[in-house]
Protein backbone atom coordinates (compact mmCIF):
# COMPACT_ATOMS: atom_id res chain seq x y z
CA UNK A 1 0.00 0.00 0.00
CA UNK A 2 1.19 3.53 -0.78
CA UNK A 3 2.47 5.83 1.96
CA UNK A 4 1.07 9.35 1.56
CA UNK A 5 2.50 11.87 3.99
CA UNK A 6 1.30 15.42 4.62
CA UNK A 7 4.17 17.62 5.87
CA UNK A 8 3.62 20.85 7.80
CA UNK A 9 6.27 23.51 8.45
CA UNK A 10 5.70 26.66 10.55
CA UNK A 11 8.95 27.20 12.45
CA UNK A 12 9.60 30.82 11.48
CA UNK A 13 7.89 33.09 8.93
CA UNK A 14 6.87 30.64 6.18
CA UNK A 15 3.67 28.61 6.41
CA UNK A 16 4.11 25.52 4.27
CA UNK A 17 2.38 22.22 3.53
CA UNK A 18 3.52 19.45 1.19
CA UNK A 19 2.39 16.00 0.13
CA UNK A 20 4.81 13.15 -0.55
CA UNK A 21 3.69 9.78 -1.92
CA UNK A 22 6.15 6.91 -1.65
CA UNK A 23 9.07 9.37 -1.59
CA UNK A 24 7.82 11.41 -4.57
CA UNK A 25 6.74 15.02 -4.09
CA UNK A 26 3.19 15.74 -5.24
CA UNK A 27 2.89 19.31 -3.95
CA UNK A 28 4.78 21.90 -1.91
CA UNK A 29 2.93 25.10 -1.06
CA UNK A 30 4.79 27.92 0.73
CA UNK A 31 3.16 31.11 1.94
CA UNK A 32 5.77 33.70 2.96
CA UNK A 33 4.93 36.57 5.29
CA UNK A 34 5.65 40.02 3.86
CA UNK A 35 4.43 41.67 7.09
CA UNK A 36 7.95 41.55 8.61
CA UNK A 37 9.68 43.57 5.88
CA UNK A 38 8.72 46.89 7.48
CA UNK A 39 10.44 45.86 10.73
CA UNK A 40 13.76 44.64 9.26
CA UNK A 41 13.36 41.22 10.89
CA UNK A 42 10.81 38.61 11.91
CA UNK A 43 8.36 39.81 14.62
CA UNK A 44 7.40 36.59 16.47
CA UNK A 45 3.86 37.61 17.45
CA UNK A 46 3.03 38.74 13.91
CA UNK A 47 4.51 35.52 12.51
CA UNK A 48 2.32 33.42 14.81
CA UNK A 49 -0.82 35.33 13.84
CA UNK A 50 -0.03 35.03 10.12
CA UNK A 51 0.47 31.26 10.52
CA UNK A 52 -3.00 31.02 12.07
CA UNK A 53 -4.49 32.78 9.06
CA UNK A 54 -2.49 30.77 6.53
CA UNK A 55 -2.41 27.22 7.82
CA UNK A 56 -5.85 26.03 6.69
CA UNK A 57 -5.73 27.49 3.15
CA UNK A 58 -2.13 26.31 2.67
CA UNK A 59 -2.95 22.72 3.68
CA UNK A 60 -6.10 22.81 1.54
CA UNK A 61 -4.07 23.99 -1.47
CA UNK A 62 -1.34 21.37 -0.93
CA UNK A 63 -3.92 18.55 -0.90
CA UNK A 64 -5.69 20.01 -3.94
CA UNK A 65 -2.49 20.35 -5.99
CA UNK A 66 -1.47 16.82 -5.02
CA UNK A 67 -4.85 15.47 -6.09
CA UNK A 68 -5.16 13.72 -2.75
CA UNK A 69 -8.09 13.72 -0.31
CA UNK A 70 -7.45 13.97 3.40
CA UNK A 71 -8.95 10.49 3.87
CA UNK A 72 -6.15 9.07 1.68
CA UNK A 73 -3.36 10.38 3.96
CA UNK A 74 -1.25 7.81 5.80
CA UNK A 75 0.25 10.21 8.38
CA UNK A 76 0.83 13.87 9.22
CA UNK A 77 4.43 15.00 9.79
CA UNK A 78 5.15 18.36 11.39
CA UNK A 79 8.10 20.51 12.44
CA UNK A 80 8.43 20.15 16.19
CA UNK A 81 11.40 22.55 16.45
CA UNK A 82 13.71 24.37 16.62
CA UNK A 83 12.07 27.68 15.80
CA UNK A 84 9.90 30.44 17.24
CA UNK A 85 7.56 28.95 19.85
CA UNK A 86 4.49 30.95 18.79
CA UNK A 87 5.01 29.92 15.17
CA UNK A 88 5.71 26.26 15.94
CA UNK A 89 2.61 25.94 18.12
CA UNK A 90 0.33 26.77 15.18
CA UNK A 91 1.73 23.99 12.96
CA UNK A 92 2.08 21.49 15.80
CA UNK A 93 -1.47 22.05 17.09
CA UNK A 94 -2.95 21.92 13.59
CA UNK A 95 -1.04 18.72 12.71
CA UNK A 96 -2.07 16.98 15.92
CA UNK A 97 -5.73 17.94 15.55
CA UNK A 98 -5.79 16.98 11.87
CA UNK A 99 -4.11 13.61 12.44
CA UNK A 100 -6.35 12.83 15.42
CA UNK A 101 -9.52 13.69 13.49
CA UNK A 102 -8.43 11.34 10.67
CA UNK A 103 -7.25 8.70 13.15
CA UNK A 104 -3.82 8.44 11.48
CA UNK A 105 -0.31 8.58 13.01
CA UNK A 106 1.51 11.85 13.69
CA UNK A 107 5.24 12.20 13.15
CA UNK A 108 7.46 14.86 14.73
CA UNK A 109 10.33 16.18 12.63
CA UNK A 110 13.43 18.15 13.62
CA UNK A 111 13.61 21.14 11.26
CA UNK A 112 17.40 20.77 10.88
CA UNK A 113 17.10 17.09 9.96
CA UNK A 114 14.54 18.17 7.35
CA UNK A 115 17.02 20.58 5.71
CA UNK A 116 19.62 17.78 5.43
CA UNK A 117 17.15 15.20 4.09
CA UNK A 118 15.78 17.57 1.43
CA UNK A 119 18.42 15.96 -0.79
CA UNK A 120 16.31 12.78 -0.88
CA UNK A 121 13.12 14.34 -2.27
CA UNK A 122 12.19 12.85 -5.63
CA UNK A 123 9.88 14.72 -7.99
CA UNK A 124 7.38 12.86 -10.15
CA UNK A 125 7.83 13.31 -13.88
CA UNK A 126 11.30 14.80 -13.46
CA UNK A 127 14.59 13.15 -14.21
CA UNK A 128 15.83 11.48 -11.00
CA UNK A 129 18.32 13.62 -9.14
CA UNK A 130 21.49 12.00 -7.81
CA UNK A 131 21.24 11.39 -4.09
CA UNK A 132 24.03 11.39 -1.53
CA UNK A 133 25.28 8.03 -0.29
CA UNK A 134 25.76 7.54 3.47
CA UNK A 135 28.00 8.55 5.13
CA UNK A 136 28.15 12.07 3.73
CA UNK A 137 28.98 15.52 5.03
CA UNK A 138 26.39 18.28 4.98
CA UNK A 139 27.15 21.96 5.43
CA UNK A 140 23.95 23.35 6.97
CA UNK A 141 23.91 27.12 6.69
CA UNK A 142 20.91 29.26 7.56
CA UNK A 143 19.90 32.35 9.49
CA UNK A 144 20.20 30.44 12.75
CA UNK A 145 22.74 27.68 12.08
CA UNK A 146 26.16 27.04 10.57
CA UNK A 147 27.07 23.41 11.06
CA UNK A 148 29.14 20.67 9.49
CA UNK A 149 27.17 17.46 9.94
CA UNK A 150 28.31 13.88 9.46
CA UNK A 151 25.21 12.12 8.13
CA UNK A 152 25.50 8.38 8.80
CA UNK A 153 21.84 7.50 8.20
CA UNK A 154 18.53 9.39 7.96
CA UNK A 155 18.20 9.10 11.74
CA UNK A 156 21.87 9.18 12.74
CA UNK A 157 23.63 12.53 12.38
CA UNK A 158 26.63 13.93 14.24
CA UNK A 159 27.56 17.61 14.42
CA UNK A 160 31.30 17.86 13.75
CA UNK A 161 31.50 21.63 13.99
CA UNK A 162 29.20 24.59 14.46
CA UNK A 163 29.22 28.29 15.02
CA UNK A 164 30.24 29.47 18.46
CA UNK A 165 28.43 32.79 17.98
CA UNK A 166 26.54 34.14 14.94
CA UNK A 167 25.36 32.00 12.03
CA UNK A 168 26.57 32.75 8.49
CA UNK A 169 23.16 34.02 7.35
CA UNK A 170 22.78 36.13 10.48
CA UNK A 171 26.17 37.80 9.83
CA UNK A 172 25.26 38.54 6.20
CA UNK A 173 21.85 39.92 7.26
CA UNK A 174 23.40 42.15 9.93
CA UNK A 175 26.10 43.55 7.60
CA UNK A 176 23.43 44.21 5.01
CA UNK A 177 21.36 46.07 7.61
CA UNK A 178 24.39 48.22 8.47
CA UNK A 179 24.62 49.11 4.77
CA UNK A 180 20.97 50.16 4.85
CA UNK A 181 19.84 47.43 2.44
CA UNK A 182 16.48 45.67 2.78
CA UNK A 183 15.44 42.54 4.66
CA UNK A 184 16.44 39.74 4.49
CA UNK A 185 19.91 40.79 3.41
CA UNK A 186 21.12 37.44 2.03
CA UNK A 187 19.42 37.54 -1.38
CA UNK A 188 20.21 41.28 -1.79
CA UNK A 189 23.91 40.79 -1.03
CA UNK A 190 23.93 37.82 -3.42
CA UNK A 191 22.49 39.92 -6.25
CA UNK A 192 24.83 42.90 -5.67
CA UNK A 193 27.87 40.64 -5.25
CA UNK A 194 27.49 39.34 -8.80
CA UNK A 195 28.44 42.77 -10.13
CA UNK A 196 31.27 43.47 -7.65
CA UNK A 197 34.92 42.64 -7.09
CA UNK A 198 35.32 40.03 -4.31
CA UNK A 199 38.92 41.15 -3.72
CA UNK A 200 38.16 44.87 -3.37
CA UNK A 201 38.09 44.81 0.46
CA UNK A 202 39.55 42.53 3.11
CA UNK A 203 37.72 41.66 6.32
CA UNK A 204 39.06 39.68 9.25
CA UNK A 205 38.67 35.91 9.34
CA UNK A 206 38.44 33.89 12.57
CA UNK A 207 41.23 31.65 13.85
CA UNK A 208 39.49 29.08 15.98
CA UNK A 209 40.58 25.46 16.39
CA UNK A 210 38.78 22.38 15.12
CA UNK A 211 35.77 22.46 12.85
CA UNK A 212 33.81 25.19 14.61
CA UNK A 213 32.85 28.47 12.99
CA UNK A 214 32.69 32.06 14.20
CA UNK A 215 31.14 34.98 12.35
CA UNK A 216 30.86 37.70 14.99
CA UNK A 217 34.44 38.93 14.31
CA UNK A 218 33.67 39.39 10.63
CA UNK A 219 30.56 41.39 11.52
CA UNK A 220 32.57 43.69 13.80
CA UNK A 221 35.37 44.04 11.24
CA UNK A 222 32.81 44.99 8.58
CA UNK A 223 31.13 47.51 10.89
CA UNK A 224 34.39 49.22 12.01
CA UNK A 225 35.88 49.33 8.52
CA UNK A 226 32.70 50.87 7.18
CA UNK A 227 32.63 53.43 10.01
CA UNK A 228 36.19 54.56 9.13
CA UNK A 229 35.51 54.72 5.39
CA UNK A 230 32.31 56.70 5.95
CA UNK A 231 34.30 59.35 7.86
CA UNK A 232 36.30 60.02 4.70
CA UNK A 233 33.45 59.66 2.25
CA UNK A 234 29.85 59.97 3.54
CA UNK A 235 28.64 58.33 0.32
CA UNK A 236 31.08 55.43 0.62
CA UNK A 237 28.36 52.76 0.71
CA UNK A 238 26.64 54.11 -2.38
CA UNK A 239 29.95 54.36 -4.25
CA UNK A 240 31.16 50.87 -3.29
CA UNK A 241 27.96 48.89 -2.72
CA UNK A 242 28.65 46.05 -5.16
CA UNK A 243 32.30 45.64 -4.11
CA UNK A 244 31.34 45.64 -0.42
CA UNK A 245 28.73 42.95 -1.08
CA UNK A 246 31.12 40.85 -3.18
CA UNK A 247 33.94 41.10 -0.63
CA UNK A 248 31.63 40.27 2.27
CA UNK A 249 30.15 37.28 0.45
CA UNK A 250 33.60 36.01 -0.58
CA UNK A 251 34.83 36.20 3.03
CA UNK A 252 31.82 34.24 4.34
CA UNK A 253 32.22 31.62 1.61
CA UNK A 254 35.98 31.29 2.32
CA UNK A 255 35.34 30.79 6.04
CA UNK A 256 32.68 28.14 5.32
CA UNK A 257 34.73 26.24 2.73
CA UNK A 258 38.00 26.27 4.74
CA UNK A 259 36.45 24.23 7.56
CA UNK A 260 34.47 22.03 5.20
CA UNK A 261 37.67 21.09 3.34
CA UNK A 262 39.29 20.31 6.67
CA UNK A 263 36.35 18.05 7.66
CA UNK A 264 36.39 16.25 4.30
CA UNK A 265 40.10 15.55 4.71
CA UNK A 266 39.87 14.50 8.36
CA UNK A 267 36.92 12.14 7.81
CA UNK A 268 38.06 11.01 4.34
CA UNK A 269 34.65 11.71 2.84
CA UNK A 270 34.06 13.16 -0.60
CA UNK A 271 30.24 13.01 -0.66
CA UNK A 272 29.48 16.61 0.29
CA UNK A 273 26.09 18.32 0.47
CA UNK A 274 24.95 21.82 1.35
CA UNK A 275 21.57 22.82 2.81
CA UNK A 276 19.68 25.70 4.45
CA UNK A 277 18.76 29.24 3.36
CA UNK A 278 22.33 30.37 2.65
CA UNK A 279 22.79 27.44 0.24
CA UNK A 280 20.80 29.58 -2.24
CA UNK A 281 23.85 31.86 -2.42
CA UNK A 282 25.50 31.86 -5.84
CA UNK A 283 29.00 32.46 -4.47
CA UNK A 284 28.68 29.43 -2.20
CA UNK A 285 27.21 27.28 -4.98
CA UNK A 286 30.12 28.23 -7.26
CA UNK A 287 32.64 27.44 -4.53
CA UNK A 288 31.07 23.97 -4.22
CA UNK A 289 31.41 23.42 -7.97
CA UNK A 290 35.06 24.56 -7.90
CA UNK A 291 35.79 22.22 -4.99
CA UNK A 292 34.14 19.33 -6.86
CA UNK A 293 36.56 19.86 -9.74
CA UNK A 294 39.63 20.51 -7.67
CA UNK A 295 39.19 17.89 -4.93
CA UNK A 296 37.03 15.29 -6.71
CA UNK A 297 34.05 15.87 -4.39
CA UNK A 298 30.62 14.47 -5.30
CA UNK A 299 28.57 17.53 -4.48
CA UNK A 300 24.85 17.86 -3.77
CA UNK A 301 23.32 21.32 -4.10
CA UNK A 302 19.57 21.60 -3.40
CA UNK A 303 17.02 23.10 -5.76
CA UNK A 304 16.31 26.72 -4.83
CA UNK A 305 12.82 25.77 -3.62
CA UNK A 306 14.32 23.43 -1.00
CA UNK A 307 16.91 25.88 0.35
CA UNK A 308 14.60 28.07 2.43
CA UNK A 309 11.95 26.76 4.81
CA UNK A 310 9.52 24.35 3.11
CA UNK A 311 7.28 21.45 4.08
CA UNK A 312 8.61 19.11 1.37
CA UNK A 313 11.68 18.47 3.53
CA UNK A 314 9.43 17.80 6.55
CA UNK A 315 7.29 15.39 4.52
CA UNK A 316 10.30 13.41 3.21
CA UNK A 317 11.70 13.08 6.74
CA UNK A 318 8.21 12.05 7.88
CA UNK A 319 8.14 9.46 5.09
CA UNK A 320 11.38 7.83 6.30
CA UNK A 321 10.10 7.80 9.88
CA UNK A 322 6.76 6.41 8.69
CA UNK A 323 8.51 3.43 7.07
CA UNK A 324 10.12 2.73 10.47
CA UNK A 325 6.79 3.30 12.29
CA UNK A 326 8.50 6.05 14.29
CA UNK A 327 5.36 7.91 15.40
CA UNK A 328 4.81 10.38 18.23
CA UNK A 329 2.06 10.83 20.79
CA UNK A 330 -0.45 13.66 20.95
CA UNK A 331 1.01 15.08 24.17
CA UNK A 332 4.45 15.75 22.62
CA UNK A 333 5.32 19.45 23.12
CA UNK A 334 6.93 21.76 20.56
CA UNK A 335 10.50 22.80 21.36
CA UNK A 336 12.07 26.12 20.42
CA UNK A 337 15.70 25.11 20.95
CA UNK A 338 17.10 21.73 20.10
CA UNK A 339 20.05 20.23 18.33
CA UNK A 340 20.09 17.35 15.84
O1 LIG B 1 17.03 28.35 6.29
P1 LIG B 1 16.44 29.71 6.31
O2 LIG B 1 15.37 30.03 5.32
O3 LIG B 1 15.83 30.07 7.70
C1 LIG B 1 16.39 29.71 8.90
O4 LIG B 1 17.27 30.44 9.37
O5 LIG B 1 15.93 28.66 9.42
O6 LIG B 1 17.65 30.74 6.13
C2 LIG B 1 17.46 32.11 6.11
C3 LIG B 1 18.81 32.76 5.87
C4 LIG B 1 18.75 34.28 6.00
O7 LIG B 1 19.85 34.70 6.78
C5 LIG B 1 18.87 34.75 4.56
O8 LIG B 1 19.46 36.03 4.44
C6 LIG B 1 19.77 33.69 3.97
O9 LIG B 1 19.27 32.48 4.54
N1 LIG B 1 19.71 33.63 2.51
C7 LIG B 1 20.77 33.90 1.71
C8 LIG B 1 20.31 33.80 0.38
N2 LIG B 1 18.99 33.46 0.42
C9 LIG B 1 18.65 33.37 1.74
N3 LIG B 1 22.04 34.21 2.03
C10 LIG B 1 22.88 34.42 1.00
N4 LIG B 1 22.52 34.36 -0.30
C11 LIG B 1 21.26 34.04 -0.64
N5 LIG B 1 20.91 33.98 -1.93
Amino acid sequence: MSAIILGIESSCDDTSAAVIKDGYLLSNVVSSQAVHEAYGGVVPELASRAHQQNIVPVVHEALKRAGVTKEELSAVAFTRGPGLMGSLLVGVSFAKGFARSLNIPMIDVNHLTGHVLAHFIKAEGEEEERQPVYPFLCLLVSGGNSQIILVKAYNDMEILGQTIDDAAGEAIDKCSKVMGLGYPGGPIIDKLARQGNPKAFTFSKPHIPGLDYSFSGLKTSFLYSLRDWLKEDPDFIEHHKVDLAASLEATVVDILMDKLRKAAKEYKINEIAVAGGVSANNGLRNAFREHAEKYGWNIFIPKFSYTTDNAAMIAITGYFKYLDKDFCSIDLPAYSRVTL
Side-chain angles (χ1 to χ4, degrees):
M1 211 171 95
S2 282
I4 306 180
I5 313 297
L6 170 71
I8 290 175
E9 155 65 32
S10 72
S11 63
C12 190
D13 60 341
D14 294 303
T15 318
S16 181
V19 178
I20 279 199
K21 182 178 181 183
D22 298 329
Y24 285 86
L25 185 69
L26 300 185
S27 66
N28 183 33
V29 177
V30 183
S31 170
S32 301
Q33 305 175 356
V35 64
H36 308 288
E37 273 165 26
Y39 301 91
V42 177
V43 184
E45 177 60 23
L46 295 182
S48 177
R49 287 187 214 173
H51 283 305
Q52 289 184 45
Q53 284 176 345
N54 295 341
I55 190 85
V56 172
V58 164
V59 169
H60 183 77
E61 185 63 22
L63 291 172
K64 195 170 125 195
R65 285 192 203 171
V68 161
T69 64
K70 58 185 191 298
E71 289 76 20
E72 288 175 287
L73 292 173
S74 312
V76 181
F78 61 90
T79 302
R80 183 184 176 197
L84 299 171
M85 187 49 91
S87 291
L88 288 166
L89 283 174
V90 178
V92 171
S93 311
F94 179 89
K96 285 179 179 176
F98 202 51
R100 173 52 74 90
S101 72
L102 295 166
N103 203 19
I104 55 176
M106 46 196 104
I107 301 169
D108 64 304
V109 172
N110 180 316
H111 179 82
L112 304 176
T113 307
H115 271 302
V116 176
L117 297 181
H119 289 284
F120 293 94
I121 299 168
K122 293 188 276 190
E124 246 179 8
E126 282 182 21
E127 201 182 315
E128 277 210 1
E129 301 265 344
R130 285 163 51 249
Q131 295 188 343
V133 174
Y134 300 116
F136 66 92
L137 293 180
C138 185
L139 175 68
L140 176 56
V141 267
S142 69
N145 293 277
S146 299
Q147 301 179 328
I148 298 177
I149 302 164
L150 173 60
V151 188
K152 299 174 221 173
Y154 91 85
N155 56 359
D156 186 3
M157 301 188 191
E158 185 187 339
I159 298 171
L160 303 180
Q162 60 189 323
T163 183
I164 57 166
D165 41 54
D166 290 353
E170 193 180 353
I172 295 176
D173 290 346
K174 285 181 181 164
C175 291
S176 143
K177 199 169 179 180
V178 167
M179 285 172 71
L181 306 174
Y183 164 84
I188 302 168
I189 293 285
D190 189 352
K191 206 167 159 200
L192 291 171
R194 274 181 258 173
Q195 304 154 49
N197 174 7
K199 293 199 167 81
F201 303 106
T202 310
F203 303 110
S204 77
K205 288 190 196 164
H207 299 281
I208 49 169
L211 296 173
D212 283 338
Y213 287 118
S214 165
F215 288 97
S216 71
L218 167 61
K219 197 182 63 188
T220 313
S221 158
F222 189 85
L223 183 71
Y224 287 176
S225 302
L226 206 57
R227 191 188 56 186
D228 294 344
W229 293 325
L230 280 168
K231 276 186 201 152
E232 293 178 9
D233 173 7
D235 294 325
F236 188 87
I237 296 175
E238 204 44 51
H239 291 152
H240 301 278
K241 208 188 262 179
V242 291
D243 287 343
L244 282 168
S247 303
L248 171 68
E249 181 185 284
T251 313
V252 171
V253 170
D254 274 357
I255 296 171
L256 290 172
M257 296 312 286
D258 282 353
K259 289 289 170 89
L260 191 58
R261 258 192 329 271
K262 192 171 172 191
K265 201 168 158 199
E266 229 173 278
Y267 286 82
K268 298 185 178 54
I269 290 180
N270 70 349
E271 294 273 307
I272 321 264
V274 61
V278 183
S279 69
N281 182 266
N282 283 284
L284 184 58
R285 287 172 168 246
N286 288 339
F288 259 72
R289 291 186 196 106
E290 283 160 20
H291 276 66
E293 274 204 10
K294 193 163 174 194
Y295 300 101
W297 288 3
N298 293 324
I299 54 162
F300 300 89
I301 301 176
K303 280 187 188 161
F304 281 108
S305 52
Y306 302 152
T307 55
T308 42
D309 293 345
N310 66 87
M313 67 187 198
I314 304 306
I316 192 72
T317 308
Y319 170 68
F320 292 136
K321 290 186 88 170
Y322 179 83
L323 296 181
D324 277 348
K325 294 194 167 41
D326 187 357
F327 307 140
C328 71
S329 67
I330 196 157
D331 53 3
L332 193 83
Y335 43 44
S336 55
R337 280 174 181 272
V338 72
T339 184
L340 277 168

